[in-house]
CSV table of all heavy atoms in Angstrom, one decimal:
chain,number,residue,atom,x,y,z
T,1,PHE,N,92.7,242.6,62.7
T,1,PHE,CA,92.7,241.5,61.8
T,1,PHE,C,92.9,240.2,62.6
T,1,PHE,O,93.3,240.2,63.7
T,1,PHE,CB,93.9,241.6,60.8
T,1,PHE,CG,93.7,242.7,59.8
T,1,PHE,CD1,94.0,244.0,60.2
T,1,PHE,CD2,93.3,242.5,58.5
T,1,PHE,CE1,93.9,245.1,59.3
T,1,PHE,CE2,93.2,243.5,57.6
T,1,PHE,CZ,93.4,244.8,58.0
T,2,ARG,N,92.6,239.1,62.0
T,2,ARG,CA,92.7,237.8,62.7
T,2,ARG,C,93.2,236.7,61.7
T,2,ARG,O,92.9,236.8,60.5
T,2,ARG,CB,91.4,237.4,63.4
T,2,ARG,CG,90.3,237.0,62.4
T,2,ARG,CD,89.0,236.8,63.2
T,2,ARG,NE,87.9,236.4,62.4
T,2,ARG,CZ,86.6,236.2,62.8
T,2,ARG,NH1,86.4,236.4,64.1
T,2,ARG,NH2,85.7,235.9,62.0
T,3,GLN,N,93.8,235.7,62.2
T,3,GLN,CA,94.3,234.6,61.4
T,3,GLN,C,94.2,233.3,62.2
T,3,GLN,O,94.8,233.2,63.3
T,3,GLN,CB,95.7,234.8,60.9
T,3,GLN,CG,96.1,233.7,59.9
T,3,GLN,CD,97.4,234.1,59.1
T,3,GLN,OE1,98.2,234.8,59.7
T,3,GLN,NE2,97.5,233.6,57.9
T,4,ALA,N,93.5,232.3,61.7
T,4,ALA,CA,93.4,231.0,62.3
T,4,ALA,C,94.4,230.1,61.6
T,4,ALA,O,94.7,230.3,60.4
T,4,ALA,CB,91.9,230.4,62.2
T,5,PRO,N,94.8,229.0,62.3
T,5,PRO,CA,95.8,228.0,61.7
T,5,PRO,C,95.2,227.5,60.3
T,5,PRO,O,94.1,227.0,60.3
T,5,PRO,CB,95.9,226.9,62.7
T,5,PRO,CG,95.6,227.6,64.0
T,5,PRO,CD,94.6,228.6,63.7
T,6,GLY,N,96.0,227.5,59.3
T,6,GLY,CA,95.6,227.0,58.0
T,6,GLY,C,94.7,227.9,57.2
T,6,GLY,O,94.2,227.5,56.1
T,7,LYS,N,94.3,229.1,57.7
T,7,LYS,CA,93.4,230.0,57.1
T,7,LYS,C,94.1,231.3,56.7
T,7,LYS,O,95.2,231.7,57.2
T,7,LYS,CB,92.2,230.3,58.0
T,7,LYS,CG,91.4,229.2,58.4
T,7,LYS,CD,90.7,228.5,57.2
T,7,LYS,CE,89.8,227.4,57.6
T,7,LYS,NZ,88.6,227.8,58.4
T,8,GLU,N,93.6,232.0,55.7
T,8,GLU,CA,94.1,233.3,55.3
T,8,GLU,C,93.8,234.4,56.3
T,8,GLU,O,92.8,234.3,57.1
T,8,GLU,CB,93.5,233.7,54.0
T,8,GLU,CG,93.8,232.8,52.8
T,8,GLU,CD,95.2,233.0,52.3
T,8,GLU,OE1,95.8,234.1,52.5
T,8,GLU,OE2,95.8,232.0,51.8
T,9,ARG,N,94.6,235.4,56.4
T,9,ARG,CA,94.4,236.5,57.3
T,9,ARG,C,93.1,237.2,56.9
T,9,ARG,O,92.9,237.4,55.7
T,9,ARG,CB,95.6,237.5,57.3
T,9,ARG,CG,95.4,238.7,58.2
T,9,ARG,CD,96.7,239.5,58.2
T,9,ARG,NE,97.0,240.0,56.9
T,9,ARG,CZ,98.1,240.6,56.6
T,9,ARG,NH1,99.0,240.8,57.5
T,9,ARG,NH2,98.3,241.1,55.3
T,10,GLU,N,92.3,237.6,57.8
T,10,GLU,CA,91.0,238.2,57.6
T,10,GLU,C,90.8,239.5,58.3
T,10,GLU,O,91.1,239.6,59.5
T,10,GLU,CB,89.9,237.2,58.1
T,10,GLU,CG,88.5,237.8,58.0
T,10,GLU,CD,87.4,236.9,58.7
T,10,GLU,OE1,87.8,236.1,59.5
T,10,GLU,OE2,86.2,237.1,58.4
T,11,GLY,N,90.4,240.5,57.5
T,11,GLY,CA,90.1,241.8,58.2
T,11,GLY,C,88.8,241.7,59.0
T,11,GLY,O,87.8,241.2,58.5
T,12,VAL,N,88.8,242.2,60.2
T,12,VAL,CA,87.7,242.1,61.1
T,12,VAL,C,87.0,243.5,61.2
T,12,VAL,O,85.7,243.5,61.0
T,12,VAL,CB,88.2,241.7,62.5
T,12,VAL,CG1,87.0,241.7,63.5
T,12,VAL,CG2,88.8,240.3,62.5
T,13,ALA,N,87.7,244.5,61.5
T,13,ALA,CA,87.1,245.8,61.7
T,13,ALA,C,88.1,246.9,61.5
T,13,ALA,O,89.3,246.7,61.8
T,13,ALA,CB,86.4,245.9,63.0
T,14,SER,N,87.7,248.1,61.2
T,14,SER,CA,88.6,249.3,61.1
T,14,SER,C,87.8,250.5,61.6
T,14,SER,O,86.6,250.6,61.6
T,14,SER,CB,89.1,249.5,59.7
T,14,SER,OG,88.1,249.9,58.8
T,15,ILE,N,88.6,251.5,62.0
T,15,ILE,CA,88.0,252.8,62.4
T,15,ILE,C,88.9,253.9,61.9
T,15,ILE,O,90.1,253.9,62.1
T,15,ILE,CB,87.8,252.9,63.9
T,15,ILE,CG1,87.1,254.2,64.3
T,15,ILE,CG2,89.1,252.7,64.7
T,15,ILE,CD1,86.5,254.1,65.7
T,16,ASP,N,88.3,254.9,61.2
T,16,ASP,CA,89.0,256.0,60.7
T,16,ASP,C,89.2,257.1,61.7
T,16,ASP,O,88.7,257.1,62.8
T,16,ASP,CB,88.3,256.5,59.4
T,16,ASP,CG,89.2,257.0,58.3
T,16,ASP,OD1,90.3,257.5,58.6
T,16,ASP,OD2,88.8,256.9,57.1
T,17,SER,N,90.0,258.2,61.3
T,17,SER,CA,90.2,259.3,62.2
T,17,SER,C,89.0,260.0,62.5
T,17,SER,O,88.9,260.7,63.6
T,17,SER,CB,91.3,260.2,61.5
T,17,SER,OG,90.8,260.7,60.3
T,18,ASP,N,87.9,260.0,61.6
T,18,ASP,CA,86.7,260.7,61.9
T,18,ASP,C,85.7,259.8,62.6
T,18,ASP,O,84.5,260.2,62.8
T,18,ASP,CB,86.1,261.2,60.6
T,18,ASP,CG,85.7,260.1,59.6
T,18,ASP,OD1,85.9,258.9,59.9
T,18,ASP,OD2,85.1,260.5,58.6
T,19,GLY,N,86.1,258.6,63.0
T,19,GLY,CA,85.2,257.7,63.7
T,19,GLY,C,84.4,256.7,62.8
T,19,GLY,O,83.6,255.9,63.4
T,20,SER,N,84.5,256.8,61.5
T,20,SER,CA,83.8,255.9,60.6
T,20,SER,C,84.3,254.5,60.8
T,20,SER,O,85.5,254.3,60.8
T,20,SER,CB,84.0,256.4,59.2
T,20,SER,OG,83.4,255.6,58.2
T,21,THR,N,83.4,253.5,60.8
T,21,THR,CA,83.8,252.2,61.1
T,21,THR,C,83.4,251.2,59.9
T,21,THR,O,82.4,251.5,59.2
T,21,THR,CB,83.2,251.6,62.4
T,21,THR,OG1,81.7,251.7,62.3
T,21,THR,CG2,83.6,252.4,63.6
T,22,ARG,N,84.0,250.1,59.8
T,22,ARG,CA,83.7,249.1,58.8
T,22,ARG,C,83.9,247.7,59.5
T,22,ARG,O,84.8,247.5,60.3
T,22,ARG,CB,84.7,249.1,57.6
T,22,ARG,CG,84.4,250.3,56.7
T,22,ARG,CD,85.6,250.7,55.9
T,22,ARG,NE,86.6,251.3,56.8
T,22,ARG,CZ,86.5,252.6,57.3
T,22,ARG,NH1,85.6,253.4,56.8
T,22,ARG,NH2,87.4,253.0,58.1
T,23,TYR,N,83.1,246.7,59.2
T,23,TYR,CA,83.1,245.4,59.7
T,23,TYR,C,83.0,244.4,58.7
T,23,TYR,O,82.3,244.5,57.7
T,23,TYR,CB,82.0,245.2,60.7
T,23,TYR,CG,82.0,246.1,61.9
T,23,TYR,CD1,81.4,247.3,61.9
T,23,TYR,CD2,82.7,245.8,63.1
T,23,TYR,CE1,81.4,248.2,63.0
T,23,TYR,CE2,82.8,246.6,64.2
T,23,TYR,CZ,82.1,247.8,64.1
T,23,TYR,OH,82.2,248.7,65.2
T,24,SER,N,83.7,243.2,58.9
T,24,SER,CA,83.4,242.1,58.0
T,24,SER,C,82.0,241.5,58.3
T,24,SER,O,81.5,241.7,59.4
T,24,SER,CB,84.5,241.0,58.2
T,24,SER,OG,84.3,240.4,59.5
T,25,ASP,N,81.4,240.9,57.2
T,25,ASP,CA,80.1,240.4,57.4
T,25,ASP,C,80.0,239.3,58.5
T,25,ASP,O,78.9,239.2,59.2
T,25,ASP,CB,79.6,239.8,56.1
T,25,ASP,CG,79.3,240.8,55.0
T,25,ASP,OD1,79.2,242.0,55.4
T,25,ASP,OD2,79.3,240.5,53.8
T,26,SER,N,81.1,238.6,58.7
T,26,SER,CA,81.0,237.5,59.7
T,26,SER,C,80.9,238.0,61.2
T,26,SER,O,80.5,237.3,62.1
T,26,SER,CB,82.2,236.6,59.6
T,26,SER,OG,83.4,237.3,59.8
T,27,VAL,N,81.3,239.3,61.4
T,27,VAL,CA,81.3,239.8,62.8
T,27,VAL,C,80.3,241.0,63.0
T,27,VAL,O,80.1,241.4,64.1
T,27,VAL,CB,82.7,240.3,63.3
T,27,VAL,CG1,83.7,239.1,63.1
T,27,VAL,CG2,83.1,241.5,62.6
């Protein structure tokens, strides 16, 4: 996750135990 000053916390990417991944559209 990431957070810039004055901005809401944003999910960037995740990876599950089976290797499945997810990404935010911005990255």
Side-chain angles (χ1 to χ4, degrees):
F1 293 78
R2 67 186 183 186
Q3 187 168 27
K7 300 294 182 68
E8 296 287 332
R9 182 174 60 190
E10 175 189 16
V12 176
S14 70
I15 183 166
D16 216 328
S17 58
D18 66 357
S20 178
T21 59
R22 287 153 293 278
Y23 298 92
S24 68
D25 289 341
S26 63
V27 308

